[in-house]
Amino acid sequence: MADTATTASAAAASPANASTDAPPFQLGKPRFQQTSFYGRFRHFLDIIDPRTLFVSERRLREAVQLLEDYKRGTLRPGVTNEQLWSAQKIKQAILHPDTNEKIFMPFRMSGYIPFGTPIVVGLLLPNQTLASTVFWQWLNQSHNACVNYANRNATKPSPASKFIQGYLGAVISAVSIAVGLNVLVQKANKFTPATRLLVQRFVPFPAVASANICNVVLMRYGELEEGIDVLDADGNLVGSSKIAARHALLETALTRVVLPMPILVLPPIVMSMLEKTALLQARPRLLLPVQSLVCLAAFGLALPLAISLFPQMSEIETSQLEPEIARATSSRTVVYNKGL
């Protein structure tokens, strides 16, 4: 959060309004209101915009310099709010907010859909062997773990053991559930081959959902032990709350359960209908490209919807927190960073 001097200098170099619908620029703040689901949805659409993957090194430097000029109050004449919002979007998509280092492209939030879709297609391939089931579940949780680590809160040092615990827990739970369900389906003699194939296509969802919860709990368990920072309305630190940490963890876990639902449930339903069409029956080679497009569409819809369920900066009443925190502020509510 910018200090008073920074705010004053930024105001002295206010951007040109021009003929644009862009709201007045606020450094470090979301462009869209976070109190409504629609506002959060618009905000996260910006965060996951895959076009930022193709931003050149020169364009990134220009965006960072433009924001620095705004912060110092030396903004050149004619710069619009739209240009400033665009510069902030580029910086936030590519650079880690704590370390200010570039995030490896496949592990950026903007790269989650394009790099994750091939994995989703692999998870939903029909007639999988034991080896292929293990491989795709391992690859999916490996990708998730790397995305979590690359976008972690890096203000406090996190031991590598926490990352390894979360990674191993997620992989083991995902593989165990997926393999166990597949074995049960194979032994279900009452199912017709068509029904068995359909049921097998739904196996990845409970496996991935449970593994995602395990990943979140294990990788962020330290927050439950130490608590997370809670801030008053003016952004002042009130204290560190374990109760707020539990709320943050619960909200994140719910998001991770909702996220794979459309991705792993809708494509099997859609594909079971499309496979009966004359086009795909006559051209079976189109099955994989069509399934890839269906998975991409489901992924592109599910990700912003899921992470928009709760605001990243969540609010909680101080009366629900520890007594020492309630006594430390006169604010009725405080906010905390839920994380992604």
Side-chain angles (χ1 to χ4, degrees), residues 65-279:
Q65 186 60 52
L66 191 64
L67 296 175
E68 281 297 314
D69 291 344
Y70 176 85
K71 185 176 180 180
R72 294 171 182 169
T74 57
L75 203 60
R76 68 180 184 274
V79 176
T80 64
N81 287 308
E82 185 63 43
Q83 289 174 309
L84 287 167
W85 285 120
S86 178
Q88 181 161 277
K89 172 181 174 178
I90 290 171
K91 181 183 177 182
Q92 290 177 342
I94 299 174
L95 302 181
H96 193 285
D98 298 328
T99 64
N100 216 33
E101 295 178 356
K102 288 180 72 173
I103 300 173
F104 187 43
M105 189 182 292
F107 305 147
R108 298 174 193 168
M109 290 305 296
S110 56
Y112 197 44
I113 293 175
F115 288 96
T117 297
I119 300 174
V120 173
V121 174
L123 285 169
L124 295 175
L125 288 174
N127 300 315
Q128 294 207 34
T129 63
L130 177 63
S132 65
T133 298
V134 171
F135 171 76
W136 288 113
Q137 290 290 345
W138 164 77
L139 188 60
N140 180 55
Q141 291 305 321
S142 296
H143 181 240
N144 285 343
C146 289
V147 169
N148 289 340
Y149 184 77
N151 295 278
R152 73 195 185 283
N153 184 323
T155 54
K156 297 179 181 178
S158 179
S161 59
K162 294 290 183 183
F163 172 76
I164 295 172
Q165 273 184 338
Y167 173 69
L168 291 177
V171 169
I172 291 171
S173 61
V175 170
S176 301
I177 294 171
V179 171
L181 290 175
N182 272 322
V183 169
L184 288 176
V185 171
Q186 291 292 344
K187 291 184 177 180
N189 298 324
K190 295 181 181 180
F191 290 157
T192 63
T195 303
R196 184 180 290 114
L197 177 61
L198 185 62
V199 172
Q200 279 181 317
R201 281 179 159 171
F202 288 99
V203 165
F205 171 65
V208 171
S210 59
N212 286 350
I213 295 174
C214 182
N215 198 320
V216 170
V217 172
L218 289 174
M219 292 193 72
R220 296 179 58 177
Y221 186 75
E223 296 177 17
L224 294 175
E225 293 180 322
E226 301 174 10
I228 58 175
D229 292 345
V230 292
L231 313 172
D232 62 18
D234 297 320
N236 300 313
L237 178 64
V238 176
S240 188
S241 170
K242 295 181 181 179
I243 296 175
R246 289 204 297 268
H247 280 261
L249 211 60
L250 177 61
E251 290 171 351
T252 306
L254 287 174
T255 298
R256 299 301 173 86
V257 171
V258 172
L259 174 58
M261 194 179 296
I263 301 171
L264 300 176
V265 173
L266 286 180
I269 295 174
V270 173
M271 288 306 299
S272 65
M273 294 187 291
L274 292 179
E275 286 169 359
K276 297 174 184 178
T277 62
L279 176 64

